[in-house]
Amino acid sequence: MPRAARRAGPVLPLLLLIALLALPLGPGDQDAGGGLTPADAVSGLVVLFCAVRAVRARQRPLTRTAYVVLGLPVLAIAVAALGAGSASDSLQGMVRYCQIFVLVPAAVLLLVRDRRDFRLIGWALIALGLYQGAIGVHQYLTGTGASYAGEDVRAVGTFGATDVMGMSTVVAYGLVCAVALALGDGTRRVRLTALACALALLVPLALSFSRGAWIATAVAVLLQIVLAGARRAVRLLLVAAAAAVVLVGGFGVGTSMLQERLSSITQVTATPDQSVTDRYTMWAAAADMWREHPVTGVGLKNFPAYRDSHASLALSAGSDVAGAGAAFHRQPLLSPHNMYLLILSEQGLLGLVAFVGAWAALLVRGTRRLGAAHRTRRGLDCALLACALLTWQLIDFAYADIGGPSTVLTAVVFGLVAWWALAPAALDEPGATR
């Protein structure tokens, strides 16, 4: 076995999981329900591999704090599963939530041994973002993307027209990781390479036409720049401004459609289009469900069943889906496209407090370790990466929820965040073990 592969041994399953998200999805994998994808199947194998490895080591795999933080949502999930419409919905809902927020993050926490492993996964996310972004740019230039404003120009990568948020999420993760590594304490070559990757990822992110991803990325990157130090902040803001001038003026990225999409961010309450109207209507429906079932919600996977009885007549029958190899069809609106409201409507206050409490704990502990990384001058890139990814995800959850083939990558991201916030090895010298 090559030395590099032997060194990366425990995290190879995680790298394989990330690599599988580069595969094009078949029609059956692009349905509205998200389906079982190869990445989902491998995530189960990763959890199994991690469990067997922990048993063979005969050691307590997690700290008490990690058990509490990662286990906090399990109780709320179990209670909400009791209110599901059927045994099948109950089982599917429990498995999905535990996969994304408990099991896969715990596996990442256990398999990542030190900051070198952590950075390796960060580079893997960057590579995936560049690959999906390159496909997205090609789709825009050749008119083979998803339909947007009557033209097949929306960059969606291999995720297809039914998961238009997939590519933007992957590209945004990669961009956040690249900025963190560019701001870190690595060699000059590493920092310049990461900066070049970050600038390259700006193009497909813009062409995704995803307003939620734009907002979350802008806030996360600005936070990274500020936390890295004043001098670096000024330099990088100048580089970003220059890159924007080149992209918009030199390469014509600032098309009329892109400019219109940007301006719509501040105009969504003035003359909203049907997609915005649908989103507001579903948000109101989710809030109404919670008011009727404030403690435990309406039950896992029950939002579609309660939607029509709580939504106003402004809600359309579904969203238009076309392009990127898919024939025109109407995709039913089965969730509020807001993770907080989805949890609140289906799991009530019990679920929202459990999930938000766990995420807040990760944010607080991660931020504390960011301060320690500044003081010790070790692991600043890892700290910026973890804190910014969590910030990005918490902001994006205001515009999106779990669902679709790219969701398994969200679980990996929560695992990286959990490792930085909870693992004893996070602030040790590189190469340290638990």
Side-chain angles (χ1 to χ4, degrees):
M1 180 182 292
R3 182 178 179 182
R6 188 166 57 249
R7 169 66 187 83
V11 296
L12 282 178
L14 298 176
L15 299 178
L16 174 62
L17 176 60
I18 294 171
L20 285 175
L21 290 169
L23 297 177
L25 299 172
D29 297 322
Q30 295 182 15
D31 62 3
L36 180 65
T37 66
D40 288 315
V42 170
S43 74
L45 295 177
V46 169
V47 172
L48 180 61
F49 169 77
C50 186
V52 172
R53 188 166 176 266
V55 170
R56 291 183 62 185
R58 297 181 180 180
Q59 295 178 350
R60 188 177 67 183
L62 299 174
T63 64
R64 291 189 181 89
T65 303
Y67 277 117
V68 172
V69 173
L70 293 178
L72 193 58
V74 175
L75 176 61
I77 295 170
V79 172
L82 298 176
S86 66
S88 174
D89 285 346
S90 174
L91 180 60
Q92 290 180 22
M94 282 194 67
V95 169
R96 189 60 162 168
Y97 272 98
C98 288
Q99 173 202 14
I100 303 304
F101 298 111
V102 181
L103 297 177
V104 174
V108 175
L109 172 58
L110 292 172
L111 293 177
V112 174
R113 294 162 299 176
D114 51 42
R115 293 197 297 274
R116 282 186 291 187
D117 284 351
F118 188 94
R119 294 184 184 106
L120 183 59
I121 296 177
W123 281 111
L125 293 177
I126 294 171
L128 178 63
L130 289 170
Y131 174 79
Q132 291 288 356
I135 295 176
V137 172
H138 179 266
Q139 290 170 333
Y140 174 82
L141 294 175
T142 59
T144 56
S147 178
Y148 176 80
E151 299 183 50
D152 294 343
V153 295
R154 188 168 192 175
V156 292
T158 64
F159 295 103
T162 57
D163 187 15
V164 294
M165 293 291 293
M167 191 213 73
S168 64
T169 298
V170 169
V171 168
Y173 285 159
L175 198 156
V176 169
C177 292
V179 171
L181 292 168
L183 292 170
D185 45 12
T187 64
R188 179 179 176 83
R189 185 175 64 178
V190 167
R191 288 184 281 112
L192 289 177
T193 301
L195 180 59
C197 292
L199 294 176
L201 288 168
L202 286 173
V203 178
L205 181 63
L207 299 180
S208 71
F209 296 102
S210 175
R211 291 171 293 200
W214 292 347
I215 294 171
T217 305
V219 174
V221 170
L222 183 61
L223 178 67
Q224 286 177 306
I225 293 173
V226 171
L227 292 177
R231 291 182 180 179
R232 286 184 176 180
V234 172
R235 289 200 301 265
L236 283 172
L237 287 174
L238 289 175
V239 170
V245 171
V246 171
L247 290 173
V248 175
F251 295 103
V253 173
T255 63
S256 58
M257 285 188 293
L258 182 56
Q259 292 169 0
E260 180 183 350
R261 190 70 164 173
L262 280 169
S263 62
S264 69
I265 293 176
T266 58
Q267 299 172 355
V268 291
T269 58
T271 55
D273 57 28
Q274 186 58 50
S275 66
V276 176
T277 299
D278 286 340
R279 182 163 299 193
Y280 285 162
T281 303
M282 290 189 294
W283 288 2
D288 197 41
M289 293 178 202
W290 167 68
R291 281 190 287 269
E292 287 192 4
H293 306 270
V295 179
T296 58
V298 298
L300 289 184
K301 298 181 73 69
N302 267 351
F303 181 88
Y306 283 77
R307 181 198 62 189
D308 291 341
S309 61
H310 291 81
S312 70
L313 296 177
L315 183 66
S316 65
S319 59
D320 296 340
V321 174
F328 175 83
H329 65 279
R330 299 282 286 175
Q331 181 171 301
L333 303 172
L334 303 177
S335 75
H337 295 289
N338 180 304
M339 192 66 209
Y340 304 106
L341 288 176
L342 178 62
I343 294 174
L344 191 64
S345 62
E346 293 189 344
Q347 302 181 43
L349 278 176
L350 178 62
L352 189 66
V353 169
F355 277 93
V356 173
W359 299 336
L362 292 176
L363 185 60
V364 170
R365 288 183 62 88
T367 303
R368 286 179 178 175
R369 289 188 167 187
L370 171 64
H374 265 296
R375 291 191 301 271
T376 61
R377 298 183 181 275
R378 296 204 310 264
L380 178 60
D381 51 353
C382 299
L384 294 173
L385 191 154
C387 293
L389 280 178
L390 182 56
T391 300
W392 188 95
Q393 195 63 67
L394 296 182
I395 294 173
D396 187 70
F397 273 165
Y399 308 94
D401 49 48
I402 58 173
S406 60
T407 300
V408 70
L409 201 61
T410 301
V412 175
V413 164
F414 272 111
L416 290 176
V417 172
W419 184 86
W420 174 254
L422 302 172
L427 292 177
D428 291 341
E429 291 288 349
T433 61
R434 284 180 185 79

